[in-house]
Amino acid sequence: MNTLSYGRAALPDAELVRLFSQMTQVRHLDTSAIAWQRQGILPGYAPMRGQEAAQVGSVAALDMSRDFVFPTYREMGAALAAGVDMGEYMATHKATWNGGMYDARETRVTPIQTVIGGSALHAVGWAHGQRLDAAAAGADEPLDLPVALVYLGDGASSQGDIHEAMNFAGVFETPTVFFVQNNGWAISVPTERQVAGGSVAARGAGYGIASIHVDGNDVEAVVQATRAAVAHARSGAGPAVVEAMTYRRGPHSTSDDPGRYRSLAEERRDGGVDPMDALRDRLLEAGALTAEDVAAIQSEAEAFEERVRADVQAQGPRPGAEMFEYVYQEMPAPLREQAAAWREESDHV
């Protein structure tokens, strides 16, 4: 198996403080979004508690001026770290718009993907295009390619789409980083019951893909491991798999009851050290933060959540007729007829 190594040099304290601030915003917004769903503000939401370090740390390894992020429906932390407007991001969870109202070209974060494993195919296709563009331009080796970073979970790794994506990426050496957040659960099924061999990263060997196994609760390790994977892909050496071992500290979604398949005692035992607590304690011990600093960061996160909530609540319903648009470049006659009937019956026009 081609295992990538990564540097263990400590990140500057200022960088870790910035990451902690982002993680605090993510944690508070994630917790609040669950409350919003209970209050009727959102019809549904997929929590990500416990995965803040994996998502914020992986985005920190990218060059967002040229790389591209391909999320699933649980990457709120990655979107925040990439600079996406959170009110526009949450539009999808409010069912206001498909994939979010933010501009994917500007933010370089594709729309939210709810098809399990589907985003991997998109990422590999985009990355393959970058390699073709470099070849057409006569670029010399080693290359300096834009990189696609695609998120998937341990459950998604059992989908056929992931096999197809990894195989294509391996054959054509696309600059793709498959970032696996192994949070221990595929909805209600534990990893050991649905990932043969126990490791998603180990599967990379079958596709000729380099891999890294990392503690997904250690934001510094995540940054370093993802940087190594990105550098590998950027140089033209081919794709890489990063498997970040973490834990889903809550339900799969707001319609899920995790108490049906694990006890609270098991969750506390298996969850390990909370990534937020680990980074906070480290920064306090190093003198990079004071208790007053931590309180200020929390207050800023609370104010940020209030602004996002106001933005979400201000979003009005979209016209129902939009379901017929943005499907075909040229709308076929049957769809035009359906759209006209919709407007007549629903919008009375």
Side-chain angles (χ1 to χ4, degrees), residues 226-251:
T226 311
R227 281 178 177 170
V230 168
H232 175 87
R234 198 182 301 289
S235 71
V241 177
V242 178
E243 184 174 18
M245 304 303 295
T246 180
Y247 193 81
R248 195 192 76 212
R249 297 171 179 271

Side-chain angles (χ1 to χ4, degrees), residues 70-86:
F70 293 78
T72 70
Y73 49 80
R74 203 186 300 278
E75 269 68 63
M76 185 270 286
L80 185 149
V84 174
D85 181 279
M86 284 293 100

Side-chain angles (χ1 to χ4, degrees), residues 13-21 24 276-298 300:
D13 285 347
E15 175 70 0
L16 290 174
V17 169
R18 184 185 70 81
L19 294 172
F20 176 72
S21 180
T24 303
M276 297 289 299
D277 294 344
L279 182 55
R280 180 200 61 214
D281 293 348
R282 172 181 172 178
L283 291 171
L284 286 170
E285 183 178 350
L289 281 179
T290 64
E292 291 75 17
D293 294 329
V294 172
I297 289 172
Q298 178 63 28
E300 290 171 4

Side-chain angles (χ1 to χ4, degrees), residues 62 66-72 75 108-111 113 115-132 145-152 161-162 164-170 172-180 209 233 238-240:
L62 298 175
R66 57 176 176 157
D67 298 333
F68 232 109
V69 172
F70 293 78
T72 70
E75 269 68 63
R108 306 193 71 77
V109 177
T110 63
Q113 174 63 266
V115 176
I116 306 302
S119 50
L121 297 169
H122 301 162
V124 172
W126 180 86
H128 184 48
Q130 307 311 302
R131 180 122 198 178
L132 292 177
L145 299 168
V147 171
L149 188 143
V150 56
Y151 290 96
L152 62 141
D161 285 1
I162 299 302
E164 294 175 14
M166 287 188 172
N167 187 61
F168 193 101
F172 292 97
E173 298 185 324
T174 68
T176 311
V177 173
F178 297 90
F179 192 90
V180 184
I209 299 178

